[in-house]
Amino acid sequence: MEDKGVLYIAMGERYFEEAKVSANSLKEHNPELQTCLITDEEREADCFDQVKVREAKEGSDKVYYIRESPFERTLYLDSDTYIGDDITEIFDILDRFDVAATETRFPREEMYQQDRVVDAVPKWYPFFQGGIILFKQSQKTQEMLDKWLEDYDEIIGEVDEFPYDMPTLRKAIFESDVRFSPLPK
C-alpha cells in the first residue's frame, strides 16, 4: 500500500474528463503524489497511476468506493477540483487527526428532506463538504466510512430525488470516534 495519494471516483465520460483536468493540475504541482481513479469502465490517462473499474451506483459513488483507496493516507477529490499549488503538506494533518473535511455553512434546503439523518445530530453541528476529504487508514476511519455508507444506503429509498451525501457524512463524523479536523475553505 502506498503511503499517500489522491483518490478520484468518476463514473461516466463527463466526470472522467473532469477528473483528468483535476489530476493533471495535481500532477503539474505535485508530480510525486500517486493517483488512483475508480471509474465504471476501462479508461486510461497518464495522470492516473492506478485505475480500478467498479459498477456505477445509484446516488453518490464516492460513498460506496472511498473505502477502496489504495493509500495509507488519502486525499479524496471530487472530479471538478483544480489544484494550483503544492499540496503535499496537507497530509501532515494526518499525523494528528484521522479525518479532515471542509465545513459548509449553508446546506441546500432539499437536504433537509432527509430529516431522520439531520435530526440525529445537534442542530449546531456543522455540515461538511464531501468533495475534499482527507483520511488515513485506521479501524476508526473504516468504522466511520462504514457508518456513512450504512446511513446513505438507508436514505436512498426514503427521498424522491438525488440523495445528498452531506447529511450522512455529517452524522457519521459526529457519531464516530475519529479525531476530526476541519480544513480551511
Side-chain angles (χ1 to χ4, degrees), residues 26-143:
L26 173 84
K27 290 289 193 173
E28 179 181 342
H29 300 283
N30 306 269
E32 73 287 353
L33 280 179
Q34 293 291 297
T35 55
C36 177
L37 170 69
I38 298 177
T39 188
D40 58 336
E41 60 184 63
E42 289 293 331
R43 301 177 195 277
E44 289 186 26
D46 292 340
C47 54
F48 299 113
D49 300 300
Q50 299 178 46
V51 177
K52 296 181 179 188
V53 177
R54 300 292 183 266
E55 177 183 346
K57 298 285 190 176
E58 178 183 353
S60 178
D61 294 294
K62 83 178 122 195
V63 181
Y64 293 95
Y65 297 122
I66 195 168
R67 68 192 28 73
E68 291 190 31
S69 172
F71 310 115
E72 285 289 329
R73 295 169 178 236
T74 300
L75 177 60
Y76 166 80
L77 295 176
D78 268 356
S79 62
D80 63 352
T81 55
Y82 184 85
I83 307 302
D85 204 350
D86 182 346
I87 62 166
T88 53
E89 283 187 4
I90 196 169
F91 291 95
D92 294 345
I93 293 170
L94 298 176
D95 290 341
R96 185 162 179 88
F97 298 97
D98 302 308
V99 177
T102 303
E103 179 182 336
T104 185
R105 294 181 187 251
F106 303 107
R108 291 186 215 155
E109 186 63 34
E110 54 267 27
M111 287 186 194
Y112 286 99
Q113 292 175 357
Q114 301 166 13
D115 290 336
R116 178 186 58 75
V117 173
V118 172
D119 291 345
V121 179
K123 178 180 178 180
W124 295 105
Y125 192 72
F127 281 80
F128 302 100
Q129 285 289 344
I132 301 173
I133 302 172
L134 180 68
F135 65 96
K136 68 180 173 185
Q137 297 293 340
S138 72
Q139 183 65 34
K140 289 178 184 180
T141 301
Q142 285 304 310
E143 289 170 0

